[in-house]
Amino acid sequence: MLHKNGVFMGMDLRCQVNNHAHRTGEMDLERLLVRRGQPFSLALQCSTPLPPKNKLAMILHLGKEGELVVKVLDAHAGRDKWWFRQQRAQNEVLLTVHSPADTPVGIYSMTLLLLSPDGHILEKTTPETFYMLFNPWCKADSVYLPDEELLEEYILNENGILYQGSWDQISSLSWNFGQFEQDVVDICFEILNNSPAALKNPEIDTANRADPVYVSRTITAMVNANDDRGVVSGRWDGKYDDGVSPTRWTGSVAILRRWSESGAQRVRYGQCWVFSGVACTVLRCLGIPTRPVTNYSSAHDTDGNLNVDYLYNEQLESVSEGRKDMIWNYHCWVESWMDREDLPKGYDGWQALDPTPQERSDGVYCCGPCPVKAVRDGDVGTKYDAAFVFSEVNADLVTWIVYPDGQRSQVSLNQKTVGRNISTKSVYGDYREDITKHYKYPEGSVKEREVYEKAGRRITQLNGGPGQLELKIKHAQAILGTDFDVIVEVHNVGGEDTPAQLTVTSNAVTYNSLHRGECQRRTASLTVPAQKAHKEVMRLRYDHYGACVSEHNLIRVTALLQASTQPDVILQEVNIPLRMPQLHVKVLGFTVFVSRKLIAHISFTNPLPITLRGGVFTVEGAGLTAPREEPRFIFSYRGNIGPGEDVKVKFSFKPTRAGLRKLMVDFDADRLRDVKGIATLIVRNRLTVN
């Protein structure tokens, strides 16, 4: 408390001026949020001018219990010290505070002291709070990124795109990162405070928060809830009745607020894109440049042999139960930009961080930060988890037929399947940037072979030479709710007619290769004339796949060809994403202002030949809902939606912040989920009349 008859009258944190200068004005203008290594100013109001012989002192406390104490020097000091400069003007003192670029991030408490000439405390201010973040605009900060366009995207952009689908049919999911939404910064520090290291030894943890390597690794562990008081619980079995289906989320803010408001209870449920979206929000909010990344045909190699083995019996039934090796149709993680002072030179820059709980690292479900350059160059011993990430983008897919006597035969080897079209959103617009070259050298190049040898990889060879039969699977783009054809072609490149047995199955699978049920099966005995081709057409009907298709709307077609007179056994497999319908979202009005009521119209046509029940719309957008409200509008559609029926709904909202904003809408029903729509609008501040 200020003394009733004291000199100090109050302190102005100059939040608007400082926050705009530190590029945190979108977060808050009533609280002080600054970035390390960059000065900020304060105004101390006094009842009378300060006596010339009296001195000012500043004390900072950091940590939940103020574990770290910093005495701010009152004279110019080096860049590695806190210090302040003062300018006295009648009854006011303007203070300019300088922080080192490697000070720990966190929520600081600040107290000013009035000292007598002999150093006794005469008076002190009421403690004031301010937030310290990483500063990628500061050259001395270890997260410094010298490109303003990249910073606009990887720090300041609250909207983004997460890529899904398959390597040859890439789809995009708009995501509301919302890192500047009300109280998100508080939740980010709450996440750090709930980490096992912070709970066990808060003083050491607080000091370690100067290091983005430490902070980012902590975040990858805390975004998933496997080991600790983490944010999101993962689930992939399709049973989400006690939570929210992962496909229903359209942003991070609702997840973070739900976690915080429940007292750090895990939020149910997420999958890889949800984990990466939440991690991206937290890291951008803390000031670490971060972008979401999608790796197509991503390997999950649990035994470290750089092979993913698929085992089938002769009926094309999977006998891989108990084995965790698999190929994910796609897998999402994030990259963060930072120096790696803990490693030899050459590993600064983008670091892969994977918050999805796949394997333990140092006993904890987390992954990274791993230098992307170490992955590309095969430096698999580099911390953290370079061997695992290298395998995600480089492993071989080996398929085996297991016979009744336990013997098995290798029937396919694909060294080019894994690690394709690695993608992130471009900084220049809402389109995809391919960053595969950052992770691996071109397939088949001399440099690629050198990297494999360096990584200790044994080059796998397919048993036997090429046979005279070849197998291909073709399909047109498939639309959910319709019937479509899959064509299996058997080519005989030899000089003799060849009899063979062909088995084709279609299965509903999840994006990470979990089987949800067989849709159809066909077996045919055929003779393929020399230098000719045989075509087998399988009609996939919604009546067959509709009941078992997963929420990821993915069909896997597998074909096994066994020549009757030769030892040829060939297996081919394709994943077919079912194209989803879209919601049409239109916001009425030509000019949009902050706090002015808007009406949005949503229209949708049921594409399925069945009636939909229990429809729910979810709407959210950064800067488009009241700061302290639930960031999403959720409302049910009353009534059933028949086959081919058009639905139109509308709702109102009031934008809260100016700028380019995106309104995201999700629709879910009993037999149709993950239908998305988006509207982009420019929100202006209200016009003022003089």
Side-chain angles (χ1 to χ4, degrees):
M1 297 290 293
L2 298 178
H3 291 301
K4 186 175 181 180
N5 299 316
V7 175
F8 293 160
M9 300 292 292
M11 184 157 55
D12 179 6
L13 300 182
R14 308 192 76 205
C15 296
Q16 291 199 21
V17 172
N18 287 316
N19 290 6
H20 282 306
H22 287 250
R23 298 173 177 85
T24 60
E26 286 287 311
M27 287 187 186
D28 207 317
L29 290 175
E30 297 179 359
R31 298 183 295 175
L32 181 58
L33 298 109
V34 296
R35 300 187 185 276
R36 62 188 195 175
Q38 180 176 341
F40 60 95
S41 60
L42 312 167
L44 175 66
Q45 288 100 19
C46 305
S47 59
T48 61
L50 292 181
K53 294 184 179 180
N54 287 359
K55 293 185 176 182
L56 285 177
M58 181 182 295
I59 302 294
L60 306 178
H61 292 266
L62 176 63
K64 199 171 182 181
E65 304 297 332
E67 294 86 2
L68 188 65
V69 181
V70 178
K71 183 179 179 181
V72 183
L73 302 176
D74 62 351
H76 185 276
R79 291 185 176 182
D80 60 340
K81 303 291 185 183
W82 280 88
W83 65 280
F84 70 89
R85 176 169 52 89
Q86 57 179 297
Q87 293 175 282
R88 301 189 181 189
Q90 297 184 3
N91 292 5
E92 195 167 37
V93 182
L94 182 65
L95 303 171
T96 303
V97 183
H98 297 257
S99 65
D102 62 352
T103 196
V105 298
I107 304 174
Y108 285 74
S109 174
M110 172 177 55
T111 305
L112 283 175
L113 308 177
L114 181 64
L115 304 179
S116 66
D118 57 358
H120 288 92
I121 299 175
L122 302 176
E123 193 174 342
K124 60 182 179 180
T125 62
T126 301
E128 297 282 0
T129 296
F130 68 92
Y131 296 69
M132 180 63 70
L133 305 175
F134 291 103
N135 192 352
W137 285 271
C138 175
K139 289 183 179 181
D141 198 312
S142 52
V143 300
Y144 173 62
L145 180 58
D147 189 315
E148 190 64 36
E149 287 181 313
L150 298 186
L151 290 167
E152 284 287 334
E153 180 69 33
Y154 300 142
I155 289 289
L156 301 179
N157 195 350
E158 292 186 84
N159 302 298
I161 293 175
L162 308 179
Y163 289 98
Q164 299 179 322
S166 61
W167 72 269
D168 58 347
Q169 227 173 299
I170 294 173
S171 61
S172 60
L173 171 67
S174 295
W175 192 264
N176 171 29
F177 295 118
Q179 65 267 28
F180 298 147
E181 289 283 77
Q182 186 83 32
D183 299 328
V184 168
V185 66
D186 298 271
I187 298 172
C188 293
F189 285 119
E190 186 181 352
I191 291 171
L192 290 173
N193 291 340
N194 276 277
S195 73
L199 296 174
K200 182 179 180 180
N201 195 323
E203 186 173 352
I204 293 177
D205 173 75
T206 298
N208 284 337
R209 293 186 192 178
D211 182 9
V213 174
Y214 176 85
V215 170
S216 62
R217 186 162 170 81
T218 300
I219 293 302
T220 66
M222 287 297 296
V223 165
N224 73 73
N226 279 44
D227 300 296
D228 39 47
R229 295 164 62 87
V231 179
V232 181
S233 180
R235 191 160 193 167
W236 285 265
D237 62 3
K239 300 175 182 177
Y240 312 122
D241 290 343
D242 59 339
V244 177
S245 169
T247 60
R248 192 168 162 188
W249 301 112
T250 52
S252 307
V253 179
I255 296 171
L256 291 168
R257 286 185 178 165
R258 185 173 295 194
W259 175 83
S260 177
E261 291 167 2
S262 67
Q265 295 295 311
R266 63 187 62 189
V267 178
R268 301 179 174 92
Y269 290 102
Q271 291 172 2
C272 73
W273 69 91
V274 179
F275 291 113
S276 69
V278 172
C280 189
T281 294
V282 175
L283 292 165
R284 284 187 183 181
C285 184
L286 294 175
I288 302 176
T290 302
R291 63 186 185 185
V293 170
T294 299
N295 176 39
Y296 288 95
S297 298
S298 186
H300 183 182
D301 173 28
T302 58
D303 54 15
N305 67 349
L306 291 173
N307 284 346
V308 172
D309 297 299
Y310 279 3
L311 278 62
Y312 295 94
N313 61 22
E314 292 179 284
Q315 287 73 46
L316 267 189
E317 296 167 336
S318 175
V319 291
S320 298
E321 285 78 5
R323 303 176 63 91
K324 294 184 179 180
D325 280 13
M326 59 182 64
I327 304 291
W328 294 32
N329 221 39
Y330 63 88
H331 181 50
C332 302
W333 58 73
V334 298
E335 290 177 358
S336 291
W337 182 273
M338 66 188 74
D339 291 343
R340 290 302 301 268
E341 297 173 4
D342 58 323
L343 297 176
K345 289 184 178 180
Y347 294 117
D348 296 342
W350 289 117
Q351 312 289 318
L353 292 144
D354 191 350
T356 300
Q358 294 187 91
E359 299 295 323
R360 293 186 184 274
S361 173
D362 294 335
V364 178
Y365 278 104
C366 67
C367 180
C370 167
V372 173
K373 185 178 184 298
V375 177
R376 186 192 64 186
D377 292 343
D379 298 330
V380 294
T382 306
K383 66 178 184 180
Y384 294 91
D385 311 304
F388 184 78
V389 181
F390 182 87
S391 179
E392 285 185 301
V393 300
N394 284 298
D396 288 345
L397 173 59
V398 185
T399 308
W400 306 81
I401 294 296
V402 180
Y403 298 101
D405 61 1
Q407 296 294 314
R408 64 183 189 178
S409 172
Q410 182 181 323
V411 294
S412 74
L413 167 65
N414 199 321
Q415 296 175 320
K416 298 182 179 180
T417 291
V418 170
R420 309 175 83 167
N421 291 346
I422 303 174
S423 304
T424 191
K425 177 188 172 297
S426 170
V427 299
Y428 304 110
D430 289 346
Y431 53 87
R432 187 181 71 89
E433 178 184 350
D434 193 298
I435 56 173
T436 308
K437 64 182 179 182
H438 296 171
Y439 282 85
K440 55 200 299 187
Y441 291 99
E443 296 282 359
S445 66
V446 173
K447 191 66 177 177
E448 181 202 34
R449 290 193 292 272
E450 291 175 356
V451 167
Y452 287 171
E453 184 176 345
K454 182 179 181 181
R457 171 175 175 163
R458 178 176 58 85
I459 305 299
T460 308
Q461 300 292 335
L462 180 62
N463 296 336
Q468 70 178 43
L469 295 182
E470 295 177 350
L471 186 61
K472 296 180 180 179
I473 303 175
K474 298 180 179 180
H475 65 90
Q477 188 174 65
I479 301 173
L480 180 68
T482 65
D483 303 340
F484 60 94
D485 292 334
V486 174
I487 301 171
V488 180
E489 295 183 353
V490 182
H491 294 261
N492 185 348
V493 297
E496 297 179 358
D497 295 356
T498 304
Q501 185 87 1
L502 177 65
T503 303
V504 184
T505 64
S506 63
N507 292 275
V509 296
T510 65
Y511 81 102
N512 61 334
S513 290
L514 299 178
H515 282 249
R516 289 286 177 82
E518 185 177 287
C519 304
Q520 286 173 260
R521 167 183 292 268
R522 175 176 295 181
T523 300
S525 296
L526 47 94
T527 298
V528 188
Q531 299 297 315
K532 298 289 185 179
H534 173 87
K535 293 184 179 181
E536 195 76 23
V537 180
M538 174 182 277
R539 184 78 167 169
L540 293 182
R541 302 184 183 280
Y542 180 78
D543 291 344
H544 295 146
Y545 71 77
C548 60
V549 70
S550 75
E551 67 270 26
H552 306 121
N553 301 303
L554 189 65
I555 301 295
R556 175 171 294 168
V557 175
T558 307
L560 177 69
L561 181 68
Q562 296 174 292
S564 303
T565 59
Q566 301 174 11
D568 290 356
V569 180
I570 309 172
L571 185 140
Q572 288 289 345
E573 199 165 66
V574 297
N575 293 318
I576 305 175
L578 303 175
R579 195 177 73 187
M580 294 287 291
Q582 287 189 328
L583 301 175
H584 298 282
V585 184
K586 184 177 182 180
V587 178
L588 303 186
F590 294 102
T591 306
V592 178
F593 293 105
V594 171
S595 300
R596 178 176 291 181
K597 183 178 178 180
L598 295 172
I599 304 294
H601 285 225
I602 305 170
S603 58
F604 161 70
T605 302
N606 177 10
L608 303 184
I610 59 173
T611 297
L612 299 177
R613 297 175 175 82
V616 176
F617 290 91
T618 305
V619 184
E620 77 170 291
L624 296 177
T625 59
R628 295 189 181 275
E629 290 179 4
E630 163 71 31
R632 305 183 301 161
F633 296 104
I634 302 175
F635 55 95
S636 300
Y637 179 78
R638 297 179 180 178
N640 299 330
I641 307 172
E645 182 178 341
D646 293 327
V647 172
K648 295 182 180 180
V649 297
K650 63 181 180 179
F651 68 96
S652 63
F653 64 100
K654 293 181 180 179
T656 59
R657 288 187 284 135
L660 182 70
R661 301 294 169 192
K662 294 191 176 183
L663 189 69
M664 285 166 276
V665 186
D666 170 82
F667 174 78
D668 291 279
D670 59 338
R671 295 289 296 275
L672 183 65
R673 295 178 176 177
D674 196 24
V675 184
K676 309 292 187 186
I678 186 170
T680 302
L681 52 155
I682 297 175
V683 181
R684 295 173 170 82
N685 285 312
R686 277 185 175 274
L687 297 175
T688 56
V689 179
N690 294 325

